[in-house]
Amino acid sequence: MLALYRTGVALLGGLVLTLGIVLIPYPGPGWLIVFAGLAILAAEFHWARRLLHFLRARYTAWTRWMARRHPLLRLALYTCTGLVVLATLWLLNVFALVGGWFGLHYPWLGSPIFT
């Protein structure tokens, strides 16, 4: 029975963690979901508990470091993050999908992956 529980925790925690990692660059709770996935895994796995504490400390240090930076540097970082988000949405063909809902069928909206 213990093996079944550990397997369930591993599957659920791994799924939540994977979702959080995918969502990190997007606006929203990406890091919160990563921490939730690690917390689920930490219920049964010591390595996940250590990783959770390590990542929390690094995340706190990063946010404090960013708060001390010049606003132009922060703006540049946010701009780069936004460009990564736009590029991944384009590669995943989201723009062509949404454009199709409104009758916009421009070739440049389509992803080179989904041609």
Side-chain angles (χ1 to χ4, degrees), residues 37-114:
L38 282 173
I40 292 168
L41 290 169
E44 277 298 310
F45 302 102
H46 185 64
W47 64 266
R49 192 172 308 115
R50 288 192 326 261
L51 182 59
L52 178 62
H53 292 297
F54 174 79
L55 286 179
R56 279 184 185 165
R58 298 290 74 78
Y59 181 79
T60 302
W62 168 256
T63 56
R64 288 181 181 160
W65 182 83
M66 279 298 293
R68 294 189 310 264
R69 298 303 110 194
H70 192 276
L72 286 178
L73 177 62
R74 289 191 306 230
L75 178 63
L77 181 65
Y78 297 146
T79 301
C80 289
T81 302
L83 291 173
V84 167
V85 169
L86 289 174
T88 57
L89 290 174
W90 177 64
L91 288 173
L92 293 173
N93 210 36
V94 172
F95 297 134
L97 175 70
V98 174
W101 296 345
F102 298 101
L104 303 173
H105 299 288
Y106 300 115
W108 55 270
L109 287 176
S111 169
I113 297 173
F114 297 101

